[in-house]
Amino acid sequence: MQNQVPILQMGDVLIVTIKPDLTDDEAVKLKDDILHEIKKNNIYGLILDISVVDLIDSYMGRILSEMSDMSRLMGASTVITGMSPYVAISMVEFGLNFRSIQTALTVEKGMEWLNISRTMGVSHG
Amino acid sequence: MVENIQIFQEYDAILARQRGREMAKQLGFSLVDQTRIAISISELARNILIYAGEGEVEIRMIESSGHKTGLEIRASDKGPGISDLEMALTDGYTSSGGLGMGLPGTKRLMDDFEIRSDVGKGTSITIRKWLSS
Ligand SMILES: Nc1ncnc2c1ncn2[C@@H]1O[C@H](COP(=O)(O)OP(=O)(O)O)[C@@H](O)[C@H]1O
Ligand SMILES: [Mg+2]
C-alpha cells in the first residue's frame, strides 16, 4: 500500500490527489495535513481530485464531505474534480449526491472556478 | 468461481470489494455494474467490521434457471443481529453515527437483496446482480 498522498500547492490553492482504497489511518492523516497546510500557507481554495478513485461508497463520501466542511470552517473553498462517469452513476443510484460541494470536470476547471470566486468575493458554498 | 474472504480488518473489506470487482469484470459486467457490485461489497463488509467485529464475504458466480449468469455475494457474521430490519433498511437510519445509507443503498444497486438476522446470533445478507444479455 502506498502511503504518500501528494499535496501540491499552486499559489493559494492546494491540489490533493485522492487515491483509491484510502484507509481510516490515511484519511485521518490526510485531513490533518490539509488543515495544517490551509492554516500555515493561507490557503484560499482546496481541490480534491478524484480522477483515480474507482468508487464512492458511504465511507469515501463521508471523508470527502468532512474534508470540505472542515476546510470551509477554516475559510477555504473546496472543489471536487475529475469524477469518472461510472463513479457518478453508481454513487447517485446508491443515494449520495454531494449537493453541497462544488464540483468541476477537471483540475483546470476547478482552478478556474476558484479564481472566479476569489475575484468576485463569493462566499464559500 | 467462488471466493471466500474472512473479514477481520479494514484491509479485508478493501480486498473483498477488489475481488468482487475482478470477478464481475471476468464475467463481463459493465464498468458501472462492476462499480455497483464493489460499492455493495464495501458497505456490507464495513458493516460486518463495525457491528459484528468479524465475519465473512463469499462471492460466487451463479446461473439462473433461465441460464442467466450472475454474481452472488453473501455477507455473514455472528454479531448482535438486527432487531428492526425495516428500520435498518430506511435511508438515513444509523445506530453508529454513520450515514445510514449502506443497506438501503446496496438494495438499490443490486437486483436481489435478501437479509436474515437473528438478534444475538448474527446477520446474513445475500445480494445478486444479473448479467443482462
Ligand atoms: N452486520 C450487521 N450487524 C448488526 N447490525 C447491523 C449490521 N449491518 C447493519 N446493521 C444495522 O443497520 C443499520 C443501518 O446500516 P447501514 O445502512 O449500513 O448504515 P450505517 O452503517 O451508516 O449505520 C446500522 O446502523 C446497524 O444498526
Ligand atoms: Mg453501513
Side-chain angles (χ1 to χ4, degrees), chain A residues 58 62 94, chain B residues 43-54 75-85 87-106 115 117 122-125:
Chain A
S58 52
R62 187 176 189 176
F94 178 70
Chain B
E43 294 294 335
L44 299 184
R46 280 192 183 272
N47 278 354
I48 288 176
L49 289 172
I50 298 170
Y51 304 108
E54 60 180 71
S76 51
D77 63 66
K78 296 190 169 66
I82 302 172
S83 54
D84 189 337
L85 285 179
M87 183 97 103
L89 282 162
T90 306
D91 270 316
Y93 171 78
T94 177
S95 62
S96 69
L99 294 181
M101 299 284 312
L103 295 182
T106 295
I115 181 165
S117 193
T123 303
S124 171
I125 299 173

Side-chain angles (χ1 to χ4, degrees), chain A residues 1 20-26 54-59 61-62 85-87 89-96, chain B residues 10-11 14 17-18 21 31-32 35-36 38-39 42-43 46 97-99 101-102 104-106 108-109 129:
Chain A
M1 290 279 148
D21 305 330
L22 204 66
T23 63
D24 281 331
D25 289 345
E26 290 165 342
D54 66 352
L55 64 81
I56 292 179
D57 55 5
S58 52
Y59 176 76
R62 187 176 189 176
Y86 66 90
V87 173
I89 293 171
S90 54
M91 163 177 169
V92 168
E93 213 175 285
F94 178 70
L96 295 168
Chain B
E10 202 184 8
Y11 283 112
I14 292 172
R17 77 162 183 244
Q18 287 171 344
R21 187 190 277 280
L31 193 48
V32 178
T35 310
R36 290 180 175 116
I39 292 176
S42 182
E43 294 294 335
R46 280 192 183 272
L99 294 181
M101 299 284 312
T106 295
R108 277 190 290 272
L109 291 176
K129 194 81 189 165

